[in-house]
Amino acid sequence: MSSSNNTRRPSILICNDDGIDAPGIQALASALDGLGDLIIAAPESEQSAVGHAITVRDPVRAQSYGFEVPSGPTKAWSIAGTPADCVKLAGQELLDTPPDLVVSGINHGPNTAVNVLYSGTVSAATEAAIMGYPAIAFSLCSWSSNEFEAAGYYARMLSQHVLNEGLPAGSLLNVNIPALPFEEIEGVRITRQAKARWEESFVARTDPLDRPYYWLSGTFVNLDEGSENDLAAIDDNYVAVTPMQLDLTAYDQLDTLRNVDWDTKLDAEARPDARARRAARQADGEET
């Protein structure tokens, strides 16, 4: 390897779902200042809970954005799209070379348990993993606190680790940080995703024109009694680091489903060849 490659600064792409002007992405970029060459590609407006949506029926527009970290201005784009759009566009069009690391956040609010399925923050990191980039999603476990100092410290520490050690292909880290002063955080715990769900309801209302509309409401229910999951770690004041993977296959069901005699479950008249013969007979006038 040449000496120029040995001294090349890593390229770090930063995204989020709270929008490019959110305090969390400013805190994340500031925390990573000096760790590498930072590039910001974030939605122009809040995209919370959009999951892994991508834009396919409208253009995705990107504009330069004035973004500064403690060392000075850094390259940034404000993008009219989802978090996944931001990573796709940056990786394929806006960056000169692929990023060495993609980080997403720091999100306002936890992305633990089932919330990872809805999270735009996690989906930005997931898209990066799909594209072959090491990726981490960071979330502060509070909807109101703007105390990102401890979260920034752990974001830098974990980012440095991944830059040094890498991650297995098709995986990412989902990191949730308690909204506490640094001295009150117990440390890092490696966790699994907790079992939980939302008990949801819709509040029905009417607008001034007497047209109905609905507000989604709900209660988060923890269904997990274990101690090694992300929810338990946060309750114990630990930073929860959950390795995630793209493969959603339920491997424990493969053998069970493979042992089913599916042919015996098919109605003979429903088979594709039977339908084709029936259509042919109808065309010949044999059936009505």
Side-chain angles (χ1 to χ4, degrees):
M1 185 180 292
S2 69
S3 59
S4 60
N5 287 334
N6 284 329
T7 59
R8 185 182 71 85
R9 285 164 55 86
S11 171
I12 303 174
L13 174 63
I14 302 176
C15 186
N16 73 348
D17 74 356
D18 288 330
I20 196 166
D21 59 352
I25 196 170
Q26 180 67 63
L28 180 56
S30 296
L32 300 188
D33 190 22
L35 201 58
D37 293 329
L38 307 183
I39 308 98
I40 317 296
E44 66 180 10
S45 60
E46 185 176 345
Q47 298 288 312
S48 296
V50 300
H52 207 108
I54 58 174
T55 302
V56 295
R57 292 184 175 86
D58 294 296
V60 178
R61 304 183 189 278
Q63 293 185 334
S64 295
Y65 188 88
F67 199 106
E68 292 204 11
V69 293
S71 65
T74 191
K75 188 176 295 185
W77 287 275
S78 171
I79 296 173
T82 68
D85 288 334
C86 294
V87 176
K88 283 180 177 291
L89 186 64
Q92 297 182 24
E93 294 291 333
L94 302 179
L95 275 64
D96 296 329
T97 59
D100 297 292
L101 175 66
V102 176
V103 293
S104 181
I106 299 170
N107 188 66
H108 245 143
N111 278 311
T112 49
V114 71
N115 293 318
V116 301
L117 298 177
Y118 307 115
S119 168
T121 299
V122 176
S123 291
T126 303
E127 183 60 39
I130 291 171
M131 297 176 73
Y133 312 141
I136 316 173
F138 295 104
S139 299
L140 181 70
C141 293
S142 170
W143 298 106
S144 58
S145 174
N146 280 321
E147 295 298 325
F148 289 101
E149 183 177 1
Y153 173 87
Y154 283 101
R156 186 180 180 96
M157 180 185 73
L158 288 159
S159 296
Q160 183 68 78
H161 170 79
V162 172
L163 283 171
N164 291 342
E165 305 297 332
L167 288 173
S171 69
L172 60 140
L173 298 181
N174 182 37
V175 180
N176 284 275
I177 304 116
L180 295 170
F182 180 80
E183 62 272 15
E184 295 182 24
I185 296 178
E186 297 291 338
V188 172
R189 183 182 291 176
I190 307 305
T191 61
R192 60 175 172 80
Q193 181 183 338
K195 299 177 180 67
R197 65 184 176 89
W198 284 92
E199 290 185 349
E200 294 175 327
S201 61
F202 286 90
V203 178
R205 298 178 181 175
T206 56
D207 67 15
L209 298 179
D210 205 32
R211 297 174 302 189
Y213 69 94
Y214 303 89
W215 278 109
L216 177 63
S217 180
T219 302
F220 186 70
V221 181
N222 184 359
L223 303 174
D224 203 318
E225 297 180 355
S227 61
E228 296 302 315
N229 63 70
D230 48 13
L231 292 175
I234 296 301
D235 285 344
D236 292 340
N237 295 341
Y238 280 86
V239 175
V241 179
T242 307
M244 297 173 57
Q245 62 184 13
L246 304 177
D247 185 353
L248 301 181
T249 305
Y251 286 96
D252 58 343
Q253 295 186 37
L254 287 177
D255 288 340
T256 299
L257 292 170
R258 285 168 177 161
N259 289 330
V260 174
D261 186 355
W262 295 104
D263 286 340
T264 64
K265 295 181 177 295
L266 287 174
D267 183 336
E269 286 299 310
R271 293 176 186 269
D273 56 346
R275 291 200 300 270
R277 289 196 300 272
R278 176 181 294 173
R281 291 196 299 272
Q282 289 175 338
D284 292 338
E286 297 177 13
E287 292 185 12
T288 59

